[in-house]
Amino acid sequence: MVAHADIIVQSVMGGLVLASVLTWTVALAKTFELMGANRRAREGLGILAGALNLGEAARGLAGKPGAAAALARTAAAELATSDGAQREAVQERVGWRLERIVANAGRRLSRGTGLLASIGSVAPFVGLFGTVWGIMNSFIGISRAQTTNLAIVAPGIAEALLATGIGLVAAIPAVILYNAFARAITAHKALLSDSVAETMRLLSRDLDHPNRAQLRMVAE
């Protein structure tokens, strides 16, 4: 059916097959990316939860990739440069910076998921266009043959309906995967929020320490 379809219908089918390949490629890459990010976030959360102060947390996460390590380093650096600053001011500045780290981590993980959303919403209509075009050609063939014999009409209609089928095959997985990744990214950001809470706890402990200057030297 594909070989005998109109060139427009063939182009539609080819584009939908390419969209399906892209969907599964993005899904595979994003799955591994999320698995690695969650593993690093859980490891970082464990180190933050077990640390006694920001300096210890920063040393434990030194050289490690991931957002949790960036949270500890950022908070320790801000504490080290806030000589004589008021407690509320330090916490506010650290909170702003940690919020941006979590937001940037979410944006990085969201890259590529927009393609899944586009394929899921557009592919059925592209397939429908191929179907409409194929059926139109079938009616033109009927007028030229001057007959309504089903043997003449059926092949063209079947080719046209195949385009809709391929469109659904491309769209349905894309929508399911997009929703799954959206939930996974939300769960990852919640995990990072736990790391933020642990970082702020360590910052509060350091700010309460009677010798903040010594802690700043350790953080540095």
Side-chain angles (χ1 to χ4, degrees):
M1 286 188 294
V2 175
H4 293 89
D6 183 81
I7 185 64
I8 300 297
V9 179
Q10 287 180 339
S11 300
V12 168
M13 292 180 182
L16 292 173
V17 170
L18 178 61
S20 182
V21 171
L22 289 174
T23 294
W24 290 107
T25 301
V26 170
L28 185 63
K30 194 59 61 178
T31 297
F32 284 113
E33 184 180 2
L34 277 167
M35 289 174 59
N38 285 331
R39 177 182 54 79
R40 291 189 296 269
R42 284 191 292 268
E43 181 182 357
L45 179 59
I47 294 174
L48 287 169
L52 297 177
N53 51 60
L54 281 176
E56 181 180 338
R59 288 192 300 272
L61 293 168
K64 296 182 180 296
L71 294 174
R73 289 193 299 267
T74 299
E78 186 63 38
L79 177 64
T81 56
S82 299
D83 188 13
Q86 294 183 353
R87 175 193 182 97
E88 293 76 13
V90 176
Q91 289 180 321
E92 187 175 14
R93 287 195 295 270
V94 171
W96 289 339
R97 297 185 64 180
L98 300 190
E99 180 183 350
R100 300 317 308 158
I101 291 174
V102 173
N104 289 334
R107 278 196 296 270
R108 282 194 300 270
L109 287 175
S110 296
R111 283 199 297 260
T113 58
L115 178 63
L116 298 179
S118 298
I119 291 174
S121 59
V122 173
F125 297 101
V126 174
L128 182 60
F129 168 75
T131 297
V132 171
W133 188 274
I135 292 177
M136 180 184 67
N137 285 335
S138 296
F139 283 126
I140 292 174
I142 291 173
S143 65
R144 288 176 179 173
Q146 296 183 352
T147 179
T148 57
N149 191 335
L150 187 61
I152 297 176
V153 179
I157 295 177
E159 295 162 6
L161 293 176
L162 180 61
T164 296
I166 296 175
L168 293 176
V169 168
I172 292 173
V175 173
I176 294 174
L177 289 168
Y178 174 79
N179 291 331
F181 286 133
R183 291 191 297 270
I185 292 170
T186 300
H188 178 76
K189 292 175 71 174
L191 189 60
L192 292 182
S193 296
D194 293 339
S195 296
V196 170
E198 290 294 335
T199 303
M200 296 300 293
R201 177 183 64 84
L202 294 176
L203 175 65
S204 178
R205 178 181 294 172
D206 287 354
L207 290 173
D208 287 338
H209 197 277
N211 194 350
R212 288 175 55 182
Q214 182 182 355
L215 287 177
R216 283 194 294 271
M217 292 175 64
V218 172
E220 291 173 345

